[in-house]
Amino acid sequence: MTQAIQWDIGDDDHPHEECGVVGVWGSPDAAALTALGLHALQHRGQEAAGIVSLAAQGQFHAHKGRGLVGDNFSNAAVIAGLPGHAALGHNRYATTGETALRNVQPLYADFEFGGFAVAHNGNLTNAHVLKRALVRRGCLFQSTTDSEVFIHLIAISLYSTVMDRLIDALKQVQGAYSLVALHNGALLGARDPLGVRPLVLGKLAAGGFVLSSETCGLDIVGAEFVRDVEPGEIVLIDDSGVRSIRPFARPSSPRFCIFEYIYFARPDSIVEGTPVYDTRKRIGAELARESGVAADVIVPVPDSGVPAAMGYASEAGIPFELGIIRNHYVGRTFIEPTDQIRNLGVKLKHSANRSMIAGKRVVLVDDSIVRGTTSRKIVEMVRQAGATEVHMRISSPPTTHSCFYGIDTPERAKLLAANHDVAEMAKIIGADSLAFISLDGLYRALGRDGRDPAAPAYCDACFTGDYAIPLLDQQDPSERPLPLLQVANR
């Protein structure tokens, strides 16, 4: 008898965010509020979740597990086991393989100054280089996540205060990061000097503060949005309030991740002062202006393509219909993944609404194409439902380069747009036509005149190959000198 195995049907035509972070200070329900915040940020990571809380006398408590937030924190006894006035939490998206429990954040360590926990969203581009140097120095790594580099750099620092040790660590790492950290005296939040990854600050009505990857994490706990944590800033939150520390110079041109607007952020979030939902509708409208085509109906590829499709339909004057219905209750299947079943996998997640498609010229609107396999199956499904023409419109420019700043994208050789022009891509996915929004069009939808190559307003490396932060770990190992770890005493 053949045993059925767990098979992830995946969604390989979209990049995946790696993490969401939440921190709460000054509430007796800190762990429960953190769990709620993680629920709101579930879209940023579905492989594992963890919470660390801080109780009286500096006692830390932790609970971590594989799976969704609800799988791990729906039990009242679990929340009761996380007492205290402060907590931080983390949702993880595993980039490769199984999520080992040792990699589930927040990470925790005992230092001479007491306990310290950290949760990190993003990627360090010199993590491997630093890890080699730290291991040579005698550090023992307990996980394979680059977030543990922070722990060891803090451990070897000879600065006297926790804040100075954290600054010492941040000045040695390169990459994109938003992190929240917790020790006996304070909750800390930090963003990388270019502000690639998001982090916002909110205030609870009953007192206390919240840090979250997105404003939707504030909304769910009733916290008032205060402001974005600025690029290169550290916020220190304790019983006296919020203080700002700026160990890095203010960037002349921050490089916030442009894909947050296109896909990653939840539609009801406000990102860098801009409502995501409105932005996606403007992107769709710009896409219609650039690449309109005669059609009878505009159909989004749910759910991420919905706002852009609405904007496209409004600008084009063509009816918007839900011609594809998404099954929201599909994660993994235990069906034996034969080739035949795997080819049917897309129908577990999407099904054609035949009455809205049959006999019509259809424009499908989606946010991205990565490998192209899912797009091909969706186009085929819409044709089988009776569409006379199928045109695909994408609300991002072609994804031609891999991301090394915290987004899970395949290596460049597996990116469809890196190896084929648009006409070839249209043929591969089986569409009558295919068009992407232009890079300048995307910038216009974000309120810019276009992209300034000398000083881009966003990180758009996945479209341009313009990597604003050095990719030290991507160099040949023989060409990477080990860094001199900073251990100066103050």
Side-chain angles (χ1 to χ4, degrees):
M1 178 178 178
T2 303
Q3 183 181 5
I5 60 173
Q6 190 178 33
W7 168 45
D8 189 347
I9 66 170
D11 189 3
D12 61 9
D13 266 2
H14 298 95
H16 295 278
E17 178 62 86
E18 287 191 31
C19 308
V21 296
V22 180
V24 175
W25 181 274
S27 171
D29 299 315
L33 294 177
T34 299
L36 287 171
L38 291 179
H39 270 290
L41 298 174
Q42 187 71 87
H43 60 288
R44 299 186 76 90
Q46 300 86 46
E47 294 294 328
I51 294 176
V52 170
S53 71
L54 172 62
Q57 288 81 47
Q59 293 180 330
F60 285 81
H61 304 265
H63 184 85
K64 306 177 186 181
R66 300 181 183 91
L68 302 177
V69 177
D71 297 334
N72 292 287
F73 296 103
S74 59
N75 191 320
V78 171
I79 299 298
L82 296 167
H85 68 286
L88 56 85
H90 185 271
N91 283 338
R92 172 176 168 81
Y93 177 85
T95 56
T96 57
E98 181 185 6
T99 298
L101 199 57
R102 62 177 178 157
N103 289 334
V104 180
Q105 297 184 44
L107 301 180
Y108 174 82
D110 282 309
F111 294 106
E112 58 181 345
F113 56 77
F116 185 89
V118 62
H120 164 226
N121 166 217
N123 266 358
L124 302 183
T125 58
N126 66 340
H128 297 309
V129 173
L130 286 172
K131 185 173 180 179
R132 285 176 57 213
L134 287 163
V135 168
R136 180 169 293 182
R137 197 179 186 277
C139 296
L140 301 176
F141 280 74
Q142 302 300 312
S143 74
T144 58
T145 174
D146 58 358
S147 306
E148 192 176 350
V149 168
F150 289 113
I151 295 286
H152 290 288
L153 289 175
I154 290 169
I156 67 171
S157 176
L158 298 180
Y159 283 94
S160 57
T161 69
V162 178
M163 177 58 71
D164 284 337
R165 288 184 181 216
L166 177 60
I167 293 172
D168 187 22
L170 294 180
K171 287 190 172 181
Q172 295 180 73
V173 301
Q174 294 179 1
Y177 58 82
S178 287
L179 65 84
V180 290
L182 183 63
H183 69 88
N184 295 352
L187 175 70
L188 305 169
R191 287 179 74 188
D192 66 81
L194 291 182
V196 178
R197 304 259 65 86
L199 189 65
V200 297
L201 171 68
K203 186 174 183 179
L204 294 165
F209 294 90
V210 181
L211 292 168
S212 173
S213 292
E214 295 181 35
T215 58
C216 63
L218 306 180
D219 296 337
I220 196 172
V221 299
E224 177 188 0
F225 172 76
V226 175
R227 63 179 179 87
D228 291 280
V229 177
E230 295 182 6
E233 180 187 19
I234 302 173
V235 292
L236 185 151
I237 303 170
D238 59 17
D239 292 337
S240 64
V242 180
R243 283 176 282 166
S244 174
I245 296 95
R246 298 206 61 95
F248 302 99
R250 295 178 186 271
S252 58
S253 180
R255 300 291 290 271
F256 183 72
C257 174
I258 203 166
F259 230 113
E260 292 283 350
Y261 293 105
I262 299 167
Y263 175 67
F264 296 129
R266 229 172 67 166
D268 56 330
S269 284
I270 297 174
V271 172
E272 299 285 294
T274 303
V276 172
Y277 182 79
D278 293 345
T279 299
R280 289 178 185 166
K281 289 180 70 176
R282 289 198 303 271
I283 292 173
E286 183 68 29
L287 181 61
R289 287 190 287 269
E290 289 188 348
S291 58
V293 63
D296 301 308
V297 64
I298 309 301
V299 172
V301 178
D303 289 320
S304 55
V306 171
M310 293 173 69
Y312 189 107
S314 178
E315 180 66 23
I318 301 172
F320 168 95
E321 297 289 353
L322 296 179
I324 298 174
I325 306 301
R326 181 182 175 189
N327 180 0
H328 290 265
Y329 303 98
V330 174
R332 295 174 184 265
T333 176
F334 287 83
I335 300 171
E336 181 70 22
T338 63
D339 288 342
Q340 180 183 5
I341 295 299
R342 187 178 280 110
N343 289 334
L344 294 174
V346 70
K347 294 185 179 180
L348 290 171
K349 199 165 191 176
H350 299 104
S351 60
N353 187 1
R354 185 176 296 270
S355 64
M356 294 293 103
I357 290 174
K360 295 179 180 179
R361 298 168 296 174
V362 177
V363 173
L364 293 174
V365 179
D366 205 355
D367 57 81
S368 59
I369 293 179
V370 179
R371 290 185 175 94
T373 52
T374 301
S375 296
R376 176 170 50 80
K377 293 172 184 177
I378 287 176
V379 169
E380 180 183 2
M381 179 179 69
V382 172
R383 286 200 190 281
Q384 290 175 350
T388 59
E389 297 177 14
V390 182
H391 305 273
M392 180 74 86
R393 295 295 181 265
I394 306 298
S395 63
S396 66
T399 302
T400 54
H401 292 74
S402 300
C403 177
F404 299 98
Y405 300 143
I407 308 304
D408 179 30
T409 52
E411 60 189 42
R412 195 177 182 201
K414 296 180 180 179
L415 295 173
L416 194 66
N419 300 283
H420 301 277
D421 63 26
V422 174
E424 292 171 337
M425 293 174 70
K427 186 175 181 180
I428 289 169
I429 68 173
D432 291 287
S433 73
L434 170 66
F436 298 79
I437 193 170
S438 69
L439 193 57
D440 281 336
L442 177 58
Y443 271 72
R444 285 194 295 270
L446 291 168
R448 308 278 175 169
D449 293 332
R451 184 181 190 268
D452 179 0
Y458 302 98
C459 178
D460 52 24
C462 52
F463 309 134
T464 64
D466 181 4
Y467 295 102
I469 303 169
L471 304 177
L472 190 58
D473 283 344
Q474 302 305 311
Q475 297 178 7
D476 189 305
S478 63
E479 299 176 359
R480 297 185 231 155
L482 289 181
L484 292 174
L485 297 172
Q486 299 173 20
V487 292
N489 196 1
R490 176 177 293 177

